[in-house]
Amino acid sequence: DGGITQSPKYLFRKEGQNVTLSCEQNLNHDAMYWYRQDPGQGLRLIYYSQIVNDFQKGDIAEGYSVSREKKESFPLTVTSAQKNPTAFYLCASSILLGEQFFGPGTRLTVL
Amino acid sequence: GQNIDQPTEMTATEGAIVQINCTYQTSGFNGLFWYQQHAGEAPTFLSYNVLDGLEEKGRFSSFLSRSKGYSYLLLKELQMKDSASYLCAVGPNNAGNMLTFGGGTRLMVKP
């Protein structure tokens, strides 16, 4: 089955710790994206990547980092520099200029 | 810059018709997407408009007017399961292959 997976579904971390969220896709999509969603809000773009070994900052990149070493994988690290990291994180992928397919999301809670 | 507006909340009755509007002002335009998102879940693709006019897909239709920067999503024969948030997204913009999302419209369907 082709799809996009994120793990874990729920994640708890102590304040000041870095945490990495996983995103994997087997749809052979070139582009991958990370969004943040706060309660009752829309999606805000954190980072995106159109090709392996290249990525661009989105609207709210501060306090986050990414890597794109493989086409299938686009992990997101939430660093201690992110002031308010508790949120729902969504990963998506697409062909270039195509509709985006979303993973199930990771709900991060920082205690 | 990018600016997308949608109503925050709407309420409708089971079996009725509801129209969710979206207006946008963007620096580039190559299509407008509608996504459905149930609480705590990932968004799922509903429709894509790149040319002016109405696209019909079962109980859901989407309309676009590029000259007016306006779109709507029309839901017919409402069912309780249609209670969800509906996200309008425009893209890609001139800065890259990204979608810009509106804040979403939370639709509550009542018996």
Side-chain angles (χ1 to χ4, degrees):
Chain A
D1 262 37
I4 180 166
T5 58
Q6 292 183 242
S7 62
K9 190 169 178 65
Y10 298 95
L11 189 56
F12 297 87
R13 279 295 181 270
K14 290 183 180 178
E15 196 171 341
Q17 289 182 331
N18 290 0
V19 60
T20 298
L21 281 58
S22 166
C23 178
E24 303 279 331
Q25 55 98 2
N26 61 3
L27 299 167
N28 201 33
H29 286 165
D30 288 308
M32 296 186 75
Y33 314 82
W34 273 106
Y35 294 92
R36 171 184 172 136
Q37 188 175 37
D38 293 286
Q41 304 293 314
L43 277 61
R44 291 186 291 168
L45 183 67
I46 304 172
Y47 268 99
Y48 70 103
S49 168
Q50 298 182 41
I51 196 168
V52 174
N53 292 322
D54 186 58
F55 48 83
Q56 306 295 328
K57 291 182 179 180
D59 299 320
I60 54 165
E62 187 176 348
Y64 300 97
S65 65
V66 293
S67 62
R68 187 86 187 276
E69 296 175 3
K70 298 186 300 182
K71 188 175 186 178
E72 301 80 18
S73 180
F74 191 40
L76 173 75
T77 297
V78 184
T79 75
S80 57
Q82 168 50 232
K83 296 282 185 270
N84 185 19
T86 294
F88 187 45
Y89 289 89
L90 285 159
C91 180
S93 70
S94 73
I95 60 172
L96 295 181
L97 303 184
E99 73 181 80
Q100 294 184 14
F101 293 82
F102 286 84
T106 293
R107 190 167 298 279
L108 173 65
T109 302
V110 175
L111 307 172
Chain B
Q2 313 286 99
N3 190 37
I4 300 176
D5 287 315
Q6 337 178 203
T8 306
E9 283 188 1
M10 298 183 72
T11 303
T13 305
E14 192 176 13
I17 299 173
V18 70
Q19 178 175 313
I20 302 174
N21 295 325
C22 172
T23 59
Y24 63 89
Q25 294 172 308
T26 58
S27 57
F29 181 86
N30 196 31
L32 188 141
F33 296 79
W34 283 97
Y35 285 83
Q36 180 190 60
Q37 185 181 26
H38 285 98
E41 298 181 9
T44 55
F45 170 77
L46 289 178
S47 69
Y48 172 61
N49 295 68
V50 65
L51 299 176
D52 290 352
L54 188 68
E55 294 278 343
E56 296 188 77
K57 202 187 274 189
R59 292 190 299 115
F60 292 6
S61 303
S62 57
F63 171 83
L64 176 67
S65 169
R66 288 172 296 171
S67 62
K68 294 182 179 177
Y70 169 68
S71 173
Y72 67 72
L73 181 70
L74 193 71
L75 291 73
K76 302 176 187 175
E77 300 169 17
L78 279 173
Q79 302 175 10
M80 297 299 291
K81 68 178 182 180
D82 296 330
S83 292
S85 287
Y86 292 86
L87 307 175
C88 171
V90 174
N93 60 31
N94 290 338
N97 289 322
M98 299 184 291
L99 290 182
T100 300
F101 283 82
T105 299
R106 191 168 69 170
L107 174 66
M108 289 173 279
V109 179
K110 297 187 173 179

